[in-house]
Amino acid sequence: TGVPGTDKERTFIAIKPDGVQRGLIAAIIARFENKGFKLVALKMLWPTKEKAESHYADLATKPFFKGLVAYFSSGPIVAMVWEGKDAIKTGRVLLGATNPAAAVPGTIRGDLAISVGRNICHGSDGPESAVHEIANWFAPEEVSDYPRSLDEWIV
Ligand code: RTP
């Protein structure tokens, strides 16, 4: 369970502070739930500056890093783990392009956001970052492995 490349692949998805403040929690969760992915972990938390820095450590040299850390730690986020076939790649398809101006309508950012600096959501960009991010934000016991009736009859 949770192994990338399997039907139970997992990805870390976060609703960023602007998504929470704009009242888009339910809308964003619905996109993933309606698509067929399974929610296996969920919590609201207010990231510290340190936690935001470690989350975005690979962007530390970017000119927008300081602003990004301030943005990500500016209020509570909704942290989630979603599971299913190709959850990482398809999750990013649901989010849309990083820059909402380039994100096509029908995607979360394409429908609900305008600015790259306020793009309302985050999704793991690959198998390694998914494993790393899930461990960074959730203790193992916070992730639930459970059957849905759906799992039994949708092929
Ligand atoms: P994310 O990790 O949040 O899902 O975004 P991503 O992989 O699609 O994009 P990445 O290049 O890793 O950038 C991470 C976040 O940094 C902010 N950003 N700001 N001001 C800018 O030019 C700029 N570029 C990126 C965005 O919030 C982006 O999601």
Side-chain angles (χ1 to χ4, degrees):
T1 279
V3 181
T6 70
D7 284 355
K8 294 183 184 258
E9 182 172 287
R10 288 173 175 174
T11 187
F12 175 74
I13 299 291
I15 303 173
K16 292 175 174 177
D18 54 334
V20 172
Q21 287 163 28
R22 290 179 54 200
L24 297 173
I25 297 169
I28 293 169
I29 289 177
R31 301 287 180 114
F32 281 83
E33 205 169 35
N34 291 344
K35 182 71 171 169
F37 290 118
K38 187 200 285 191
L39 184 63
V40 294
L42 170 77
K43 64 181 167 188
M44 173 176 275
L45 67 121
W46 191 322
T48 62
K49 189 167 164 279
E50 292 68 33
K51 197 88 170 152
E53 281 168 351
S54 68
H55 178 72
Y56 282 121
D58 55 336
L59 300 175
T61 58
K62 301 279 185 190
F64 57 82
F65 182 69
K66 215 174 160 209
L68 175 60
V69 167
Y71 160 51
F72 201 70
S73 57
S74 67
I77 67 167
V78 174
M80 300 175 280
V81 180
W82 287 91
E83 182 183 284
K85 182 175 158 50
D86 291 326
I88 299 166
K89 201 169 152 216
T90 306
R92 284 178 71 86
V93 173
L94 294 185
L95 297 186
T98 302
N99 185 348
V104 294
T107 66
I108 291 167
R109 290 167 176 151
D111 286 348
L112 304 173
I114 294 172
S115 164
V116 70
R118 296 290 183 271
N119 62 358
I120 70 173
C121 48
H122 163 82
S124 302
D125 64 7
E128 278 175 25
S129 62
V131 169
H132 180 79
E133 290 171 359
I134 290 167
N136 191 34
W137 294 101
F138 288 98
E141 64 270 21
E142 291 179 308
V143 183
S144 297
D145 189 21
Y146 65 99
R148 294 182 302 183
S149 54
L150 283 171
D151 296 336
E152 306 303 319
W153 53 267
I154 291 184
V155 289

Short mmCIF file of all heavy atoms in Angstrom, two decimals, residues 76-140:
data_model
loop_
_atom_site.label_atom_id
_atom_site.label_comp_id
_atom_site.label_asym_id
_atom_site.label_seq_id
_atom_site.Cartn_x
_atom_site.Cartn_y
_atom_site.Cartn_z
N PRO A 76 -3.53 28.67 8.12
CA PRO A 76 -3.66 27.22 8.08
C PRO A 76 -3.78 26.68 6.66
O PRO A 76 -4.33 27.34 5.77
CB PRO A 76 -4.95 26.95 8.87
CG PRO A 76 -5.66 28.25 8.92
CD PRO A 76 -4.65 29.34 8.80
N ILE A 77 -3.26 25.49 6.49
CA ILE A 77 -3.41 24.74 5.24
C ILE A 77 -4.23 23.48 5.54
O ILE A 77 -4.36 23.08 6.69
CB ILE A 77 -2.05 24.36 4.62
CG1 ILE A 77 -1.31 23.34 5.50
CG2 ILE A 77 -1.19 25.60 4.37
CD1 ILE A 77 -0.11 22.67 4.81
N VAL A 78 -4.75 22.87 4.49
CA VAL A 78 -5.35 21.55 4.64
C VAL A 78 -4.42 20.56 3.96
O VAL A 78 -4.19 20.64 2.74
CB VAL A 78 -6.77 21.48 4.03
CG1 VAL A 78 -7.31 20.06 4.08
CG2 VAL A 78 -7.71 22.42 4.79
N ALA A 79 -3.83 19.68 4.76
CA ALA A 79 -2.88 18.68 4.27
C ALA A 79 -3.60 17.36 4.07
O ALA A 79 -4.39 16.95 4.92
CB ALA A 79 -1.74 18.51 5.28
N MET A 80 -3.36 16.74 2.92
CA MET A 80 -4.08 15.51 2.59
C MET A 80 -3.17 14.51 1.91
O MET A 80 -2.20 14.88 1.26
CB MET A 80 -5.23 15.82 1.61
CG MET A 80 -6.25 16.80 2.13
SD MET A 80 -7.49 17.24 0.87
CE MET A 80 -6.58 18.46 -0.06
N VAL A 81 -3.54 13.23 2.05
CA VAL A 81 -2.94 12.20 1.23
C VAL A 81 -4.06 11.54 0.44
O VAL A 81 -5.08 11.12 1.02
CB VAL A 81 -2.18 11.15 2.07
CG1 VAL A 81 -1.57 10.08 1.16
CG2 VAL A 81 -1.11 11.80 2.92
N TRP A 82 -3.91 11.50 -0.87
CA TRP A 82 -4.89 10.86 -1.76
C TRP A 82 -4.24 9.65 -2.41
O TRP A 82 -3.07 9.70 -2.79
CB TRP A 82 -5.36 11.86 -2.83
CG TRP A 82 -6.27 12.91 -2.27
CD1 TRP A 82 -5.90 14.13 -1.77
CD2 TRP A 82 -7.70 12.83 -2.13
NE1 TRP A 82 -7.02 14.82 -1.34
CE2 TRP A 82 -8.13 14.06 -1.55
CE3 TRP A 82 -8.66 11.87 -2.43
CZ2 TRP A 82 -9.47 14.32 -1.27
CZ3 TRP A 82 -10.00 12.13 -2.16
CH2 TRP A 82 -10.39 13.34 -1.59
N GLU A 83 -5.02 8.59 -2.53
CA GLU A 83 -4.51 7.31 -3.03
C GLU A 83 -5.28 6.85 -4.26
O GLU A 83 -6.50 7.06 -4.34
CB GLU A 83 -4.67 6.26 -1.91
CG GLU A 83 -4.14 4.89 -2.26
CD GLU A 83 -4.40 3.89 -1.13
OE1 GLU A 83 -3.68 3.95 -0.11
OE2 GLU A 83 -5.34 3.09 -1.26
N GLY A 84 -4.56 6.22 -5.19
CA GLY A 84 -5.19 5.62 -6.36
C GLY A 84 -4.20 5.47 -7.50
O GLY A 84 -3.06 5.93 -7.41
N LYS A 85 -4.67 4.86 -8.57
CA LYS A 85 -3.81 4.65 -9.73
C LYS A 85 -3.30 5.98 -10.28
O LYS A 85 -4.10 6.89 -10.53
CB LYS A 85 -4.60 3.90 -10.80
CG LYS A 85 -3.83 3.57 -12.06
CD LYS A 85 -4.71 2.71 -12.98
CE LYS A 85 -4.26 2.78 -14.43
NZ LYS A 85 -2.82 2.53 -14.61
N ASP A 86 -1.98 6.08 -10.45
CA ASP A 86 -1.35 7.30 -10.99
C ASP A 86 -1.75 8.56 -10.21
O ASP A 86 -1.89 9.64 -10.80
CB ASP A 86 -1.68 7.48 -12.47
CG ASP A 86 -1.02 6.45 -13.37
OD1 ASP A 86 0.11 6.04 -13.04
OD2 ASP A 86 -1.64 6.05 -14.37
N ALA A 87 -1.93 8.42 -8.90
CA ALA A 87 -2.40 9.55 -8.08
C ALA A 87 -1.48 10.77 -8.19
O ALA A 87 -1.95 11.91 -8.16
CB ALA A 87 -2.53 9.11 -6.62
N ILE A 88 -0.17 10.54 -8.34
CA ILE A 88 0.76 11.67 -8.37
C ILE A 88 0.56 12.47 -9.66
O ILE A 88 0.32 13.68 -9.63
CB ILE A 88 2.22 11.18 -8.24
CG1 ILE A 88 2.42 10.45 -6.91
CG2 ILE A 88 3.20 12.34 -8.40
CD1 ILE A 88 3.71 9.64 -6.83
N LYS A 89 0.66 11.78 -10.78
CA LYS A 89 0.57 12.45 -12.08
C LYS A 89 -0.84 13.00 -12.33
O LYS A 89 -1.03 14.15 -12.72
CB LYS A 89 0.95 11.45 -13.18
CG LYS A 89 1.39 12.09 -14.47
CD LYS A 89 2.01 11.05 -15.40
CE LYS A 89 1.82 11.49 -16.83
NZ LYS A 89 1.58 10.37 -17.74
N THR A 90 -1.84 12.16 -12.09
CA THR A 90 -3.21 12.59 -12.34
C THR A 90 -3.62 13.68 -11.35
O THR A 90 -4.38 14.59 -11.68
CB THR A 90 -4.17 11.39 -12.28
OG1 THR A 90 -3.70 10.39 -13.18
CG2 THR A 90 -5.59 11.78 -12.67
N GLY A 91 -3.07 13.61 -10.13
CA GLY A 91 -3.34 14.68 -9.15
C GLY A 91 -2.88 16.02 -9.67
O GLY A 91 -3.58 17.02 -9.54
N ARG A 92 -1.72 16.03 -10.31
CA ARG A 92 -1.22 17.29 -10.86
C ARG A 92 -2.03 17.75 -12.07
O ARG A 92 -2.16 18.95 -12.32
CB ARG A 92 0.27 17.18 -11.18
CG ARG A 92 1.11 17.25 -9.90
CD ARG A 92 2.58 17.10 -10.14
NE ARG A 92 3.21 18.24 -10.80
CZ ARG A 92 3.68 19.32 -10.18
NH1 ARG A 92 3.56 19.43 -8.86
NH2 ARG A 92 4.26 20.28 -10.84
N VAL A 93 -2.60 16.78 -12.80
CA VAL A 93 -3.51 17.16 -13.89
C VAL A 93 -4.75 17.86 -13.31
O VAL A 93 -5.21 18.88 -13.83
CB VAL A 93 -3.92 15.92 -14.73
CG1 VAL A 93 -4.99 16.29 -15.74
CG2 VAL A 93 -2.70 15.33 -15.43
N LEU A 94 -5.27 17.31 -12.22
CA LEU A 94 -6.44 17.95 -11.59
C LEU A 94 -6.10 19.36 -11.10
O LEU A 94 -6.92 20.27 -11.20
CB LEU A 94 -6.94 17.12 -10.40
CG LEU A 94 -7.53 15.73 -10.68
CD1 LEU A 94 -8.08 15.13 -9.40
CD2 LEU A 94 -8.62 15.79 -11.73
N LEU A 95 -4.88 19.54 -10.54
CA LEU A 95 -4.49 20.88 -10.05
C LEU A 95 -4.36 21.87 -11.19
O LEU A 95 -4.71 23.04 -11.05
CB LEU A 95 -3.16 20.80 -9.28
CG LEU A 95 -3.10 19.97 -8.01
CD1 LEU A 95 -1.74 20.15 -7.34
CD2 LEU A 95 -4.20 20.35 -7.02
N GLY A 96 -3.83 21.43 -12.32
CA GLY A 96 -3.55 22.33 -13.44
C GLY A 96 -2.16 22.91 -13.34
O GLY A 96 -1.43 22.68 -12.37
N ALA A 97 -1.76 23.68 -14.36
CA ALA A 97 -0.41 24.24 -14.42
C ALA A 97 -0.12 25.09 -13.19
O ALA A 97 -1.03 25.73 -12.64
CB ALA A 97 -0.25 25.06 -15.69
N THR A 98 1.17 25.10 -12.80
CA THR A 98 1.60 25.88 -11.63
C THR A 98 1.14 27.33 -11.71
O THR A 98 0.65 27.89 -10.72
CB THR A 98 3.14 25.83 -11.52
OG1 THR A 98 3.54 24.48 -11.42
CG2 THR A 98 3.63 26.59 -10.30
N ASN A 99 1.30 27.92 -12.89
CA ASN A 99 0.82 29.29 -13.10
C ASN A 99 -0.65 29.25 -13.54
O ASN A 99 -0.95 28.81 -14.65
CB ASN A 99 1.67 29.99 -14.16
CG ASN A 99 1.29 31.45 -14.30
OD1 ASN A 99 0.25 31.89 -13.78
ND2 ASN A 99 2.10 32.21 -15.01
N PRO A 100 -1.56 29.68 -12.69
CA PRO A 100 -2.98 29.61 -13.01
C PRO A 100 -3.37 30.30 -14.32
O PRO A 100 -4.35 29.94 -14.96
CB PRO A 100 -3.66 30.30 -11.82
CG PRO A 100 -2.69 30.10 -10.70
CD PRO A 100 -1.33 30.21 -11.34
N ALA A 101 -2.54 31.29 -14.73
CA ALA A 101 -2.81 31.97 -16.00
C ALA A 101 -2.68 31.01 -17.18
O ALA A 101 -3.31 31.20 -18.22
CB ALA A 101 -1.87 33.16 -16.16
N ALA A 102 -1.86 29.97 -17.00
CA ALA A 102 -1.64 28.99 -18.06
C ALA A 102 -2.46 27.72 -17.83
O ALA A 102 -2.49 26.83 -18.68
CB ALA A 102 -0.15 28.63 -18.14
N ALA A 103 -3.10 27.61 -16.69
CA ALA A 103 -3.87 26.40 -16.36
C ALA A 103 -5.19 26.42 -17.13
O ALA A 103 -5.89 27.42 -17.15
CB ALA A 103 -4.13 26.34 -14.86
N VAL A 104 -5.50 25.29 -17.76
CA VAL A 104 -6.71 25.25 -18.58
C VAL A 104 -7.96 25.17 -17.71
O VAL A 104 -7.95 24.59 -16.62
CB VAL A 104 -6.68 24.08 -19.60
CG1 VAL A 104 -5.58 24.30 -20.62
CG2 VAL A 104 -6.55 22.74 -18.92
N PRO A 105 -9.04 25.78 -18.20
CA PRO A 105 -10.33 25.63 -17.52
C PRO A 105 -10.68 24.15 -17.34
O PRO A 105 -10.35 23.34 -18.20
CB PRO A 105 -11.32 26.32 -18.47
CG PRO A 105 -10.49 27.31 -19.22
CD PRO A 105 -9.15 26.65 -19.39
N GLY A 106 -11.30 23.83 -16.24
CA GLY A 106 -11.59 22.43 -15.93
C GLY A 106 -10.63 21.92 -14.86
O GLY A 106 -10.94 20.97 -14.16
N THR A 107 -9.46 22.56 -14.76
CA THR A 107 -8.54 22.22 -13.67
C THR A 107 -8.83 23.13 -12.47
O THR A 107 -9.49 24.16 -12.61
CB THR A 107 -7.07 22.40 -14.10
OG1 THR A 107 -6.80 23.79 -14.35
CG2 THR A 107 -6.76 21.60 -15.36
N ILE A 108 -8.32 22.74 -11.32
CA ILE A 108 -8.57 23.52 -10.10
C ILE A 108 -8.01 24.93 -10.24
O ILE A 108 -8.71 25.92 -10.03
CB ILE A 108 -7.96 22.78 -8.88
CG1 ILE A 108 -8.78 21.50 -8.60
CG2 ILE A 108 -7.94 23.69 -7.64
CD1 ILE A 108 -8.11 20.53 -7.63
N ARG A 109 -6.74 25.03 -10.64
CA ARG A 109 -6.15 26.37 -10.79
C ARG A 109 -6.74 27.11 -11.99
O ARG A 109 -6.91 28.33 -11.95
CB ARG A 109 -4.63 26.27 -10.92
CG ARG A 109 -3.94 25.85 -9.61
CD ARG A 109 -2.51 25.47 -9.88
NE ARG A 109 -1.76 25.15 -8.67
CZ ARG A 109 -0.73 24.31 -8.64
NH1 ARG A 109 -0.34 23.69 -9.74
NH2 ARG A 109 -0.08 24.09 -7.51
N GLY A 110 -7.05 26.37 -13.04
CA GLY A 110 -7.63 26.99 -14.24
C GLY A 110 -8.99 27.60 -13.96
O GLY A 110 -9.38 28.61 -14.56
N ASP A 111 -9.72 26.99 -13.03
CA ASP A 111 -11.07 27.48 -12.72
C ASP A 111 -11.09 28.46 -11.55
O ASP A 111 -11.99 29.30 -11.47
CB ASP A 111 -11.99 26.31 -12.35
CG ASP A 111 -12.39 25.48 -13.56
OD1 ASP A 111 -12.17 25.92 -14.69
OD2 ASP A 111 -12.90 24.35 -13.34
N LEU A 112 -10.13 28.34 -10.64
CA LEU A 112 -10.29 29.02 -9.34
C LEU A 112 -9.18 29.98 -8.95
O LEU A 112 -9.24 30.57 -7.87
CB LEU A 112 -10.42 27.94 -8.23
CG LEU A 112 -11.55 26.91 -8.41
CD1 LEU A 112 -11.44 25.83 -7.34
CD2 LEU A 112 -12.92 27.57 -8.36
N ALA A 113 -8.15 30.13 -9.78
CA ALA A 113 -7.02 31.00 -9.38
C ALA A 113 -6.51 31.81 -10.57
O ALA A 113 -6.80 31.51 -11.73
CB ALA A 113 -5.90 30.15 -8.79
N ILE A 114 -5.75 32.85 -10.23
CA ILE A 114 -5.24 33.79 -11.25
C ILE A 114 -3.72 33.89 -11.23
O ILE A 114 -3.08 33.98 -12.27
CB ILE A 114 -5.84 35.20 -10.99
CG1 ILE A 114 -7.34 35.20 -11.22
CG2 ILE A 114 -5.15 36.24 -11.90
CD1 ILE A 114 -8.01 36.51 -10.80
N SER A 115 -3.12 33.88 -10.03
CA SER A 115 -1.73 34.29 -9.88
C SER A 115 -0.83 33.14 -9.41
O SER A 115 -1.23 32.35 -8.54
CB SER A 115 -1.70 35.44 -8.86
OG SER A 115 -0.39 35.65 -8.38
N VAL A 116 0.38 33.05 -9.98
CA VAL A 116 1.30 31.96 -9.61
C VAL A 116 1.70 32.04 -8.14
O VAL A 116 1.95 31.01 -7.50
CB VAL A 116 2.55 31.94 -10.53
CG1 VAL A 116 3.48 33.13 -10.27
CG2 VAL A 116 3.33 30.64 -10.38
N GLY A 117 1.73 33.24 -7.60
CA GLY A 117 2.09 33.41 -6.19
C GLY A 117 0.94 33.12 -5.24
O GLY A 117 1.12 33.13 -4.01
N ARG A 118 -0.24 32.88 -5.78
CA ARG A 118 -1.44 32.54 -4.98
C ARG A 118 -2.21 31.46 -5.72
O ARG A 118 -3.34 31.67 -6.14
CB ARG A 118 -2.33 33.79 -4.76
CG ARG A 118 -1.67 34.91 -3.95
CD ARG A 118 -1.50 34.52 -2.48
NE ARG A 118 -0.93 35.64 -1.69
CZ ARG A 118 0.37 35.86 -1.52
NH1 ARG A 118 1.26 35.05 -2.07
NH2 ARG A 118 0.78 36.88 -0.79
N ASN A 119 -1.55 30.30 -5.86
CA ASN A 119 -2.14 29.27 -6.73
C ASN A 119 -2.91 28.18 -5.97
O ASN A 119 -3.16 27.10 -6.50
CB ASN A 119 -1.10 28.71 -7.69
CG ASN A 119 0.05 28.02 -6.99
OD1 ASN A 119 0.11 27.99 -5.76
ND2 ASN A 119 0.95 27.45 -7.76
N ILE A 120 -3.30 28.45 -4.76
CA ILE A 120 -4.29 27.76 -3.90
C ILE A 120 -4.05 26.30 -3.51
O ILE A 120 -4.70 25.80 -2.60
CB ILE A 120 -5.75 27.90 -4.40
CG1 ILE A 120 -6.02 27.12 -5.70
CG2 ILE A 120 -6.15 29.37 -4.54
CD1 ILE A 120 -7.54 27.14 -6.10
N CYS A 121 -3.16 25.60 -4.24
CA CYS A 121 -2.99 24.19 -3.92
C CYS A 121 -1.58 23.72 -4.26
O CYS A 121 -0.86 24.37 -5.01
CB CYS A 121 -4.02 23.35 -4.68
SG CYS A 121 -4.14 23.75 -6.43
N HIS A 122 -1.21 22.60 -3.70
CA HIS A 122 0.09 21.97 -3.94
C HIS A 122 -0.12 20.48 -4.19
O HIS A 122 -0.98 19.86 -3.58
CB HIS A 122 1.01 22.12 -2.72
CG HIS A 122 2.16 21.17 -2.75
ND1 HIS A 122 3.30 21.42 -3.48
CD2 HIS A 122 2.32 19.94 -2.20
CE1 HIS A 122 4.12 20.38 -3.35
NE2 HIS A 122 3.55 19.48 -2.58
N GLY A 123 0.69 19.93 -5.08
CA GLY A 123 0.68 18.48 -5.26
C GLY A 123 2.08 17.96 -5.50
O GLY A 123 2.88 18.62 -6.17
N SER A 124 2.39 16.80 -4.94
CA SER A 124 3.71 16.19 -5.13
C SER A 124 4.02 16.06 -6.62
O SER A 124 3.14 15.70 -7.42
CB SER A 124 3.75 14.79 -4.51
OG SER A 124 3.44 14.84 -3.14
N ASP A 125 5.29 16.31 -6.99
CA ASP A 125 5.62 16.29 -8.42
C ASP A 125 6.28 15.00 -8.89
O ASP A 125 6.64 14.89 -10.06
CB ASP A 125 6.46 17.53 -8.80
CG ASP A 125 7.81 17.55 -8.11
OD1 ASP A 125 8.17 16.58 -7.43
OD2 ASP A 125 8.51 18.58 -8.25
N GLY A 126 6.44 14.03 -8.00
CA GLY A 126 7.01 12.75 -8.43
C GLY A 126 6.99 11.77 -7.27
O GLY A 126 6.69 12.14 -6.13
N PRO A 127 7.33 10.49 -7.56
CA PRO A 127 7.28 9.44 -6.54
C PRO A 127 8.15 9.74 -5.33
O PRO A 127 7.74 9.51 -4.19
CB PRO A 127 7.78 8.20 -7.27
CG PRO A 127 7.65 8.50 -8.72
CD PRO A 127 7.72 9.98 -8.89
N GLU A 128 9.36 10.26 -5.58
CA GLU A 128 10.25 10.54 -4.45
C GLU A 128 9.72 11.66 -3.59
O GLU A 128 9.72 11.57 -2.35
CB GLU A 128 11.65 10.92 -4.95
CG GLU A 128 12.50 9.72 -5.28
CD GLU A 128 13.84 10.11 -5.89
OE1 GLU A 128 14.32 11.23 -5.64
OE2 GLU A 128 14.38 9.27 -6.63
N SER A 129 9.26 12.74 -4.21
CA SER A 129 8.75 13.86 -3.41
C SER A 129 7.46 13.46 -2.70
O SER A 129 7.20 13.91 -1.59
CB SER A 129 8.60 15.14 -4.25
OG SER A 129 7.68 14.96 -5.28
N ALA A 130 6.65 12.59 -3.31
CA ALA A 130 5.42 12.15 -2.65
C ALA A 130 5.74 11.42 -1.34
O ALA A 130 5.18 11.73 -0.29
CB ALA A 130 4.60 11.25 -3.58
N VAL A 131 6.66 10.48 -1.42
CA VAL A 131 7.05 9.72 -0.22
C VAL A 131 7.62 10.66 0.85
O VAL A 131 7.27 10.60 2.02
CB VAL A 131 8.07 8.61 -0.59
CG1 VAL A 131 8.69 7.99 0.65
CG2 VAL A 131 7.39 7.54 -1.45
N HIS A 132 8.49 11.56 0.39
CA HIS A 132 9.15 12.50 1.29
C HIS A 132 8.14 13.45 1.94
O HIS A 132 8.17 13.69 3.15
CB HIS A 132 10.19 13.28 0.50
CG HIS A 132 10.94 14.28 1.29
ND1 HIS A 132 11.99 13.94 2.12
CD2 HIS A 132 10.80 15.62 1.40
CE1 HIS A 132 12.45 15.02 2.69
NE2 HIS A 132 11.74 16.06 2.29
N GLU A 133 7.23 14.00 1.13
CA GLU A 133 6.26 14.97 1.65
C GLU A 133 5.24 14.33 2.58
O GLU A 133 4.86 14.93 3.60
CB GLU A 133 5.56 15.67 0.48
CG GLU A 133 6.51 16.61 -0.28
CD GLU A 133 5.92 17.17 -1.55
OE1 GLU A 133 4.76 16.83 -1.90
OE2 GLU A 133 6.62 17.93 -2.23
N ILE A 134 4.79 13.13 2.25
CA ILE A 134 3.83 12.45 3.13
C ILE A 134 4.46 12.23 4.51
O ILE A 134 3.86 12.52 5.54
CB ILE A 134 3.34 11.12 2.50
CG1 ILE A 134 2.46 11.41 1.28
CG2 ILE A 134 2.57 10.28 3.53
CD1 ILE A 134 2.19 10.20 0.39
N ALA A 135 5.73 11.80 4.50
CA ALA A 135 6.44 11.58 5.77
C ALA A 135 6.72 12.88 6.51
O ALA A 135 6.77 12.92 7.73
CB ALA A 135 7.74 10.83 5.51
N ASN A 136 6.88 13.95 5.74
CA ASN A 136 7.18 15.27 6.33
C ASN A 136 5.95 15.85 7.05
O ASN A 136 6.09 16.56 8.04
CB ASN A 136 7.64 16.21 5.21
CG ASN A 136 8.22 17.51 5.75
OD1 ASN A 136 8.84 17.54 6.81
ND2 ASN A 136 7.99 18.59 5.03
N TRP A 137 4.75 15.54 6.57
CA TRP A 137 3.54 16.17 7.11
C TRP A 137 2.67 15.23 7.94
O TRP A 137 1.81 15.69 8.69
CB TRP A 137 2.70 16.76 5.98
CG TRP A 137 3.39 17.91 5.30
CD1 TRP A 137 4.06 17.88 4.11
CD2 TRP A 137 3.49 19.27 5.78
NE1 TRP A 137 4.57 19.13 3.84
CE2 TRP A 137 4.24 19.99 4.83
CE3 TRP A 137 3.03 19.93 6.93
CZ2 TRP A 137 4.54 21.36 4.99
CZ3 TRP A 137 3.32 21.29 7.08
CH2 TRP A 137 4.07 21.98 6.11
N PHE A 138 2.86 13.92 7.79
CA PHE A 138 2.00 12.96 8.51
C PHE A 138 2.83 11.89 9.21
O PHE A 138 3.78 11.35 8.64
CB PHE A 138 1.04 12.26 7.54
CG PHE A 138 -0.07 13.14 7.04
CD1 PHE A 138 0.03 13.76 5.79
CD2 PHE A 138 -1.21 13.38 7.81
CE1 PHE A 138 -0.99 14.59 5.32
CE2 PHE A 138 -2.23 14.21 7.34
CZ PHE A 138 -2.13 14.81 6.10
N ALA A 139 2.42 11.57 10.45
CA ALA A 139 2.95 10.39 11.12
C ALA A 139 2.28 9.17 10.49
O ALA A 139 1.14 9.27 10.03
CB ALA A 139 2.63 10.46 12.62
N PRO A 140 2.96 8.03 10.47
CA PRO A 140 2.39 6.83 9.83
C PRO A 140 0.98 6.51 10.32
O PRO A 140 0.11 6.14 9.51
CB PRO A 140 3.37 5.72 10.20
CG PRO A 140 4.68 6.42 10.43
CD PRO A 140 4.33 7.78 10.99
#
